Amino acid sequence: MQVHLSNDVTDDLRVMWALARSRLENHRGGRELYDTIRRGLDDDALLAHVVTSGSLWTISDDAGLLGFALVRDDVVEGVFVDQRRRRQHVATTLLRALTTGENPPKDGYALPGDRGMKSLYESLGWKARLLTMRGE
């Protein structure tokens, strides 16, 4: 598996981005996280913006794109792996590459109840240190 800073919005990336957004928005707290990720940008412009700003890392193999991570301001804002490749250490490989790289992220977001993401961060030695609560 190869990890690269994305420099182009490909059709595969567009499809995977749309799947990630759909999954995120259907998860508890996901809409709020998406609003945080958008930072006021239009939905249609967001993917191009994170690619051109050097914030989107992809992981692929010979078969193609496997997933991506959005990292800005030393924070992993999101990780997404193709459904068919989950539980195959794709996200672990991606995050290990980022945390051992030149400018490693210091924090990462995990949604309420997303034990898999929390466990992944903990496997890297990270500890939970902030929980945001909101009245509905």
Side-chain angles (χ1 to χ4, degrees):
M1 288 184 265
Q2 305 90 33
V3 175
H4 297 283
L5 187 60
S6 181
N7 58 9
D8 190 22
V9 178
T10 64
D11 289 339
D12 288 344
L13 183 56
R14 271 190 199 90
V15 168
M16 190 170 284
W17 182 267
L19 290 169
R21 180 177 168 203
S22 175
R23 182 174 160 90
L24 178 63
E25 288 187 337
N26 288 309
H27 196 289
R28 185 176 53 158
R31 289 177 196 241
E32 290 81 5
L33 178 55
Y34 183 68
D35 285 344
T36 298
I37 290 170
R38 270 189 335 118
R39 298 182 180 183
L41 290 173
D42 180 79
D43 290 335
D44 296 328
L46 181 58
L47 177 57
H49 173 76
V50 298
V51 168
T52 59
S53 69
S55 304
L56 196 71
W57 293 84
T58 60
I59 185 166
S60 59
D61 65 9
D62 293 338
L65 183 63
L66 305 174
F68 62 80
L70 175 59
V71 182
R72 291 187 287 189
D73 303 323
D74 297 329
V75 177
V76 177
E77 294 184 359
V79 176
F80 184 79
V81 172
D82 183 294
Q83 182 72 33
R84 298 165 295 192
R85 296 301 299 268
R86 294 208 175 128
R87 317 245 358 121
Q88 296 178 19
H89 305 288
V90 174
T92 301
T93 301
L94 176 57
L95 286 181
R96 283 198 195 284
L98 294 175
T99 58
T100 59
E102 203 169 298
N103 295 309
K106 310 277 188 282
D107 293 307
Y109 295 146
L111 290 170
D114 191 346
R115 184 66 196 150
M117 195 73 230
K118 187 173 183 286
S119 294
L120 176 57
Y121 288 140
E122 289 170 344
S123 76
L124 301 171
W126 293 11
K127 308 268 187 260
R129 63 182 186 90
L130 173 67
L131 176 64
T132 302
M133 307 295 287
R134 175 175 293 179
E136 297 288 338

